[in-house]
Amino acid sequence: MTTDPLVVFTPSGKRGHFPVGTPILTAARQLGVDLDSVCGGRGICSKCQITPSYGEFPKHGVTVSENALSAWNAVEQRYDDKRGLKPGRRLGCQATVQGDVVIDVPPESQVHRQVVRKAAAARAITMDPATRLYFVVVEEPDMHSPTGDLERLERALQQQWQIDAVTADLSLMSKLQPVLRKGKWEVTVALHKGHKDSLARIVEIWPGLHEQGLYGLAIDLGSTTIAAHLTDLETGEVKASSGLMNPQIRFGEDLMSRVSYAMMNPGGDQEMTKAVHEAINDLTTSIAGEAGIDAALIVETVFVCNPVMHHLLLGLDPVELGQAPFALATSESMSLPAREMGLTTMNPRAQVYILPCIAGHVGADCAAVALSEEPGKSDDLVLIVDVGTNAEILLGNTHRVLACSSPTGPAFEGAQISSGQRAAPGAIERIEIDPVTKDPRFRVIGSDKWSDEDGFDIDIATTGITGICGSGIIEAVAEMRIAGLLDESGLIGSAAQTGTERCVPEGRTHAYLIHDASAEGGPRITVTQGDIRAIQLAKSALYAGARLLMDEMAVDKVDRVVLAGAFGAHISTKHAMVLGMIPDAPLDKVTSAGNAAGTGARIALCNIGSRAEIERVVREITKIETAIEPKFQDHFVAANAIPHKSDPFPELAQVVTLPAPSFNTGGADSEKSGRRRRRRS
Ligand code: FES
């Protein structure tokens, strides 16, 4: 029986006996305990911090004495003097086993630490990125046994980190020699190894120990907006989130108009590719600046996007996506150098991963939602709608998952709305309309006060009130219906019909005035009849897509609904129901998941195993093509009313009393004009 001391690691519970003098880092490695190290035990990276516990541990069957570890040494003292170690912490590579001991590995010292998402249905992301840092000491050259610097670096990686072979491109080779000499043969390399790669690639090399971190971008490239999360690849922490409008909007508001632009203008696809590359390059620079890091430390980027954006990002002509059978150039995931794609402001050797597409109309963004929300692991039947310019819709459970995409247009993102804007400070995001006075109160992004509360004016002094964002317009339309300003067909009543002077004539129709600062040179914010129609088209497309999946699944009800999308977190369930955006579901079973596609991108960025997982899951998803399905049109027409006529929520009556279904005049006209718009679109 061994007399070597027992070492117990928590929280893993792994335990083993080790000879006196064994460094804790060595014990951890032999037991497969998740303890980080970049410097390979040289006492300079501080990644291996551990907390020994002393006293009685009946649970583990050990008593730990005060001298269970070697004494605090000079290396630890030097680190503590320079950077400071938290009380009770030791460096795992310096402290050695002297007696039975219980060692806690704090989360920040775990290589595969878990990062909990902020979203309601928290799913932890286990950190396991494709790019990691390794500190090595490289042998100096010797005339008597000549070898190249790269070969000696490879040997050091093999001996010190058991990494068998690496590859490096020419641009890295050109900095290899000066960096090795500057670092006096001690360097840190960033190695990238994709889940399908047999060789690791040297992405970057720094003299000495590199302590400025390593970063990645998770980018949700939408038709209307581009949203990016700058993520620390060691901790998973989001350092900055930023977004901008997709500049391709100038070539067409929606996907099909961009495909038409490419069809009708030779070189049009390349123009759009150039525009999006420039925007991503600018976004990379600005988000790095916002986080106060050097953009060259961004070594990885994950993209999620719909198929048209996917092709235009990659410089592929999207014309095939505009006509049946909607063939993709490739539906597989892509891993490629950022430079090859024209992304020039991140690290010159940064790697890009693009999630797989599901079908010609169902893109990598939908795959990202599936990765984030995992419908295939749900016991109950869940409907997930990711609301954007295109709605990505998934319906499924552990038996089967269906997916489709529905052309909602950009109205839900505040575009094509007369006073619309993207969600930014100054935008109205919440609104309530008093059913008696018909006056609105609202909240704008940048203040948590309502417009009729003290201090609101001070809060918004710098931003002003600039427009309405996506969640604001949804609430505005629903509130107008509840307050009797809008009838079931979507017609805005006149001042006489509604009893408020805020319903002002506008051409042959009416508009509802929310805020008027025109006397001071500010904006006049209204909801026009055109805005209502745009929202009706969008919500009908969303509803019809969801219904189509339910038809395929042969169900009339779903167990729960998850609203996702850039503003999914902000849509109130009540307003979504009044609008008739989604099929019937119990009220308490309608939840918001925030930007699920963006979260899926972050998961793929932080965890390499998730890339293989989503590639497998996507193959098992059944795709439904809305564009060629005749029932889509039937569902679309039925869904036009507010709320929809064919599938009204029974619960709605418990939440809100809706006024009379129509103003006596104009209902028929409005139906006709609605149909005319639909035909045009
Ligand atoms: S492993 Fe780097 S300080 Fe211990």
Side-chain angles (χ1 to χ4, degrees), residues 25 36-48 91-93:
L25 180 63
D36 202 358
S37 162
V38 166
C39 74
R42 291 182 177 78
I44 52 175
C45 74
S46 85
K47 300 282 182 191
C48 61
L91 293 181
C93 61

Side-chain angles (χ1 to χ4, degrees), residues 598-662:
T599 303
R602 263 186 65 215
I603 295 171
L605 178 66
C606 294
N607 183 292
I608 192 168
S610 70
R611 300 182 186 181
E613 180 192 333
I614 193 58
E615 288 163 16
R616 179 187 58 74
V617 165
V618 156
R619 282 194 284 272
E620 290 166 5
I621 292 177
T622 307
K623 305 92 191 164
I624 307 296
E625 185 52 71
T626 52
I628 52 164
E629 180 53 64
K631 278 179 90 179
F632 181 84
Q633 196 61 16
D634 298 341
H635 287 313
F636 182 93
V637 173
N640 204 246
I642 303 175
H644 49 71
K645 270 185 179 158
S646 55
D647 186 19
F649 280 96
E651 287 92 346
L652 192 55
Q654 295 158 19
V655 183
V656 66
T657 309
L658 291 178
S662 73

Side-chain angles (χ1 to χ4, degrees), residues 140-438:
E140 292 188 34
D142 178 351
M143 260 193 320
H144 302 294
S145 58
T147 47
D149 283 350
L150 179 63
E151 288 69 44
R152 269 175 283 106
L153 173 60
E154 276 194 273
R155 197 154 63 218
L157 282 165
Q158 210 290 324
Q159 288 169 349
Q160 294 161 40
W161 292 101
Q162 293 74 52
I163 291 164
D164 279 337
V166 293
T167 170
D169 71 13
L170 192 56
S171 70
L172 190 283
M173 292 293 299
S174 65
K175 63 190 298 192
L176 178 68
Q177 296 204 304
V179 170
L180 278 168
R181 281 149 187 87
K182 189 171 176 201
K184 299 192 171 51
W185 305 97
E186 295 185 350
V187 292
T188 307
V189 291
L191 290 189
H192 174 275
K193 189 159 189 262
H195 62 302
K196 291 178 186 165
D197 296 341
S198 50
L199 283 185
R201 173 179 300 278
I202 306 177
V203 175
E204 195 49 274
I205 181 165
W206 296 271
L209 180 69
H210 171 74
E211 294 184 278
Q212 284 72 47
L214 214 48
Y215 299 88
L217 284 176
I219 300 185
D220 180 3
L221 172 58
S223 325
T224 307
T225 54
I226 307 174
H229 301 292
L230 178 67
T231 308
D232 185 321
L233 288 180
E234 293 181 283
T235 65
E237 186 190 345
V238 176
K239 302 299 255 186
S241 294
S242 191
L244 42 75
M245 297 302 274
N246 188 331
Q248 293 174 341
I249 286 177
R250 67 174 183 268
F251 303 100
E253 289 260 355
D254 56 32
L255 293 176
M256 282 310 126
S257 49
R258 281 179 223 172
V259 175
S260 307
Y261 185 85
M263 280 174 174
M264 296 166 71
N265 298 279
D269 56 322
Q270 287 150 32
E271 267 182 273
M272 289 187 275
T273 296
K274 186 162 174 272
V276 78
H277 287 175
E278 282 172 1
I280 295 163
N281 283 332
D282 289 348
L283 184 57
T284 303
T285 307
S286 68
I287 199 169
E290 211 178 293
I293 67 148
D294 179 356
L297 294 176
I298 299 174
V299 292
E300 275 207 70
T301 298
V302 167
F303 281 99
V304 300
C305 42
N306 62 55
V308 175
M309 292 299 101
H310 173 273
H311 277 43
L312 289 173
L313 173 68
L314 287 165
L316 303 171
D317 192 335
V319 293
E320 290 302 325
L321 300 171
Q323 59 211 6
F326 313 108
L328 289 152
T330 175
S331 58
E332 296 283 312
S333 67
M334 305 272 293
S335 298
L336 67 172
R339 276 273 138 144
E340 206 175 290
M341 292 172 55
L343 306 182
T344 52
T345 53
M346 53 189 76
N347 186 286
R349 287 162 297 279
Q351 296 289 309
V352 165
Y353 176 76
I354 307 174
L355 270 75
C357 287
I358 297 178
H361 271 169
V362 190
D365 44 2
C366 197
V369 174
L371 180 59
S372 165
E373 297 307 309
E374 302 182 306
K377 292 184 183 168
S378 172
D379 288 328
D380 48 10
L381 187 63
V382 57
L383 176 75
I384 303 162
V385 288
D386 186 352
V387 189
T389 305
N390 247 26
E392 316 303 332
I393 310 174
L394 290 149
L395 176 69
N397 54 20
T398 47
H399 297 298
R400 194 177 177 211
V401 178
L402 312 175
C404 75
S405 170
S406 198
T408 47
F412 285 151
E413 294 183 277
Q416 273 181 1
I417 297 294
S418 59
S419 296
Q421 68 160 87
R422 75 184 179 92
I428 294 176
E429 60 170 346
R430 306 282 323 268
I431 183 163
E432 285 177 358
I433 299 175
D434 188 311
V436 179
T437 66
K438 322 282 184 192

Side-chain angles (χ1 to χ4, degrees), residues 446-460:
S447 169
D448 54 9
K449 296 195 174 68
W450 286 89
S451 56
D452 57 355
E453 287 177 348
D454 287 345
F456 175 79
D457 291 342
I458 299 167
D459 277 10
I460 59 138

